[in-house]
Amino acid sequence: MRIQDVHFYYYDAEFKSAIITPKVRLTHRKALIVELVTDTHGSFYGECNAFETDWYDKETITSVKQTLAQWSKKIKNKTFTSFEEWLPYLELLDHQPAARCTIVMAIYQIYHPLPSFEVEYGATASGLTKTQLKALQTTQPSRIKLKWSDTLLSDIETLTTELPFNVNLALDANESLNISDFEKIKKQALGNIIYIEEPFKDLSILHQLDLTDYPSIAIDEKAIDETTILSIIEKYPVKVVVIKPFRVGGIDRVLRLINQLKTYNIKFVIGGMYEYGLSRYFTALLAKEGTYPGDVTPDGYYFNEDFTQGVGKLKRGLISFNPPQVDKSKLLYLN
């Protein structure tokens, strides 16, 4: 199959409720979409999970666009008969994992039929609002991740008293806590908190604490690649790894890392990045392998509009996925 062209698009939609984290407040989600066009008139799309600024990671939408625009010159008019034949070209993106992840999403579809499947629902609530609470009451996720905020303890109380079902909770601190903050968690009933993501910027603080009465510690921001992750779990009392495909370089790298973590008996979760339906499908596909539910939400949870409307329907407490169909008319063409 010969690669005839590479096209770039933007998509931008407003969140139903602003996303509030210790680092940023987001009202919209701008995404870069890449299209591979083959000589058989096939189109295969990848969705970039980077943000407009470097608040979360050094790669941004702009840097990924620039990287892939230059890289695409090397693969245009070349013929590839297998995924393995792409690997020498993908190695050129080893130091730009978000760019690699974006293009691998498209390449993977050329050689792998996309299945339909069901997966558990894992929601994220950032600064719990009435709108979010109502959505959670209606959709009943099996796991809710709460971003750390000044209202965290009251948010936990609200969820444990106002949800009409039992739910596992994960806490995400985004490396923002000190020891005093961390110890406040002991005041809360911990039975339904399964792990705490990234409580400290410096992992050595974990050696100063008795973690016996705490939930498992998880890494997220520090889980940047296979080598770093394996080094951390050997040195520190980390029991859970949140794997972000865009951070480790894409679906093929995630699958290899999952096999490694299983040999260490380390639990893992597949993390999402407030995605649209295209990327959310692949997060869900990988999340099927996770120890706990991944960051997988049903269609319409974050946005009223999507360029792959209808991907991930909530049915009987599970999210049902079919292969995403991109509506190109909703995308803003860039080149």
Side-chain angles (χ1 to χ4, degrees), residues 101 104-105 108 245 249-256 282 285-286:
C101 178
V104 165
M105 192 182 299
Y108 184 89
I251 187 170
D252 59 321
R253 294 273 178 86
V254 173
L255 291 172
R256 186 176 71 184
F282 286 93
L285 186 64
L286 292 165

Side-chain angles (χ1 to χ4, degrees), residues 47-320:
E47 177 183 333
C48 176
N49 289 155
F51 292 93
E52 291 184 79
T53 68
D54 61 358
W55 74 271
Y56 191 83
D57 191 79
K58 64 181 180 181
E59 285 183 89
T60 65
I61 288 174
T62 299
S63 72
V64 170
K65 165 67 165 60
Q66 292 172 343
T67 295
L68 292 181
Q70 289 298 315
W71 178 86
S72 66
K73 297 175 183 178
K74 302 179 187 300
I75 57 95
K76 280 185 182 179
N77 297 313
K78 291 190 179 296
T79 297
F80 300 88
T81 61
S82 68
F83 185 87
E84 287 67 29
E85 290 181 4
W86 285 88
L87 293 179
Y89 294 91
L90 292 175
E91 286 177 3
L92 301 174
L93 301 173
D94 278 350
H95 298 294
Q96 291 88 27
R100 188 185 188 281
C101 178
T102 303
I103 203 67
V104 165
M105 192 182 299
I107 297 169
Y108 184 89
Q109 298 170 61
I110 301 175
Y111 307 101
H112 300 82
L114 301 184
S116 297
F117 59 91
E118 292 182 330
V119 68
E120 287 188 283
Y121 166 26
T124 298
S126 306
L128 189 63
T129 65
K130 291 182 179 179
T131 300
Q132 286 178 328
L133 180 60
K134 184 176 180 180
L136 295 171
Q137 290 170 331
T138 301
T139 56
Q140 300 192 16
S142 57
R143 184 229 69 189
I144 299 173
K145 180 192 293 185
L146 286 173
K147 296 287 188 178
W148 190 275
S149 69
D150 293 338
T151 62
L152 176 69
L153 297 183
S154 63
D155 289 345
I156 293 174
E157 179 69 19
T158 297
L159 291 175
T160 54
T161 58
E162 297 195 26
L163 291 182
F165 58 95
N166 292 323
V167 64
N168 287 323
L169 298 178
L171 308 184
D172 185 3
N174 288 117
E175 302 180 326
S176 64
L177 305 188
N178 55 39
I179 291 177
S180 176
D181 293 326
F182 187 73
E183 291 181 339
K184 289 178 183 177
I185 300 171
K186 271 193 174 179
K187 299 178 181 178
Q188 196 73 25
L190 297 177
N192 57 347
I193 299 177
I194 50 178
Y195 59 87
I196 303 173
E197 281 184 33
E198 295 285 3
F200 309 114
K201 193 170 185 64
D202 182 358
L203 282 172
S204 65
I205 294 176
L206 295 174
H207 290 311
Q208 303 174 33
L209 300 169
D210 178 2
L211 299 174
T212 305
D213 296 327
Y214 283 94
S216 296
I217 301 299
I219 55 170
D220 177 1
E221 282 87 354
K222 296 179 182 64
I224 57 174
D225 55 51
E226 182 178 305
T227 301
T228 302
I229 291 167
L230 297 181
S231 175
I232 287 173
I233 63 179
E234 289 174 349
K235 293 178 181 177
Y236 301 101
V238 169
K239 302 299 182 184
V240 181
V241 175
V242 179
I243 306 173
K244 297 283 178 64
F246 92 102
R247 187 182 281 127
V248 301
I251 187 170
D252 59 321
R253 294 273 178 86
V254 173
L255 291 172
R256 186 176 71 184
L257 177 57
I258 285 173
N259 289 331
Q260 286 280 73
L261 293 177
K262 286 180 177 178
T263 65
Y264 282 83
N265 199 29
I266 294 293
K267 297 178 173 62
F268 61 93
V269 178
I270 304 300
M273 296 300 297
Y274 309 119
E275 303 142 306
Y276 294 109
L278 175 61
S279 184
R280 192 157 42 88
Y281 173 90
F282 286 93
T283 296
L285 186 64
L286 292 165
K288 290 194 307 172
E289 308 296 324
T291 313
Y292 302 117
D295 295 338
V296 182
T297 51
D299 179 55
Y301 181 80
Y302 288 120
F303 312 100
N304 286 317
E305 296 293 331
D306 198 317
F307 62 92
T308 56
Q309 203 76 30
V311 175
K313 290 295 186 182
L314 189 63
K315 297 180 180 179
R316 304 178 304 278
L318 296 173
I319 305 178
S320 177

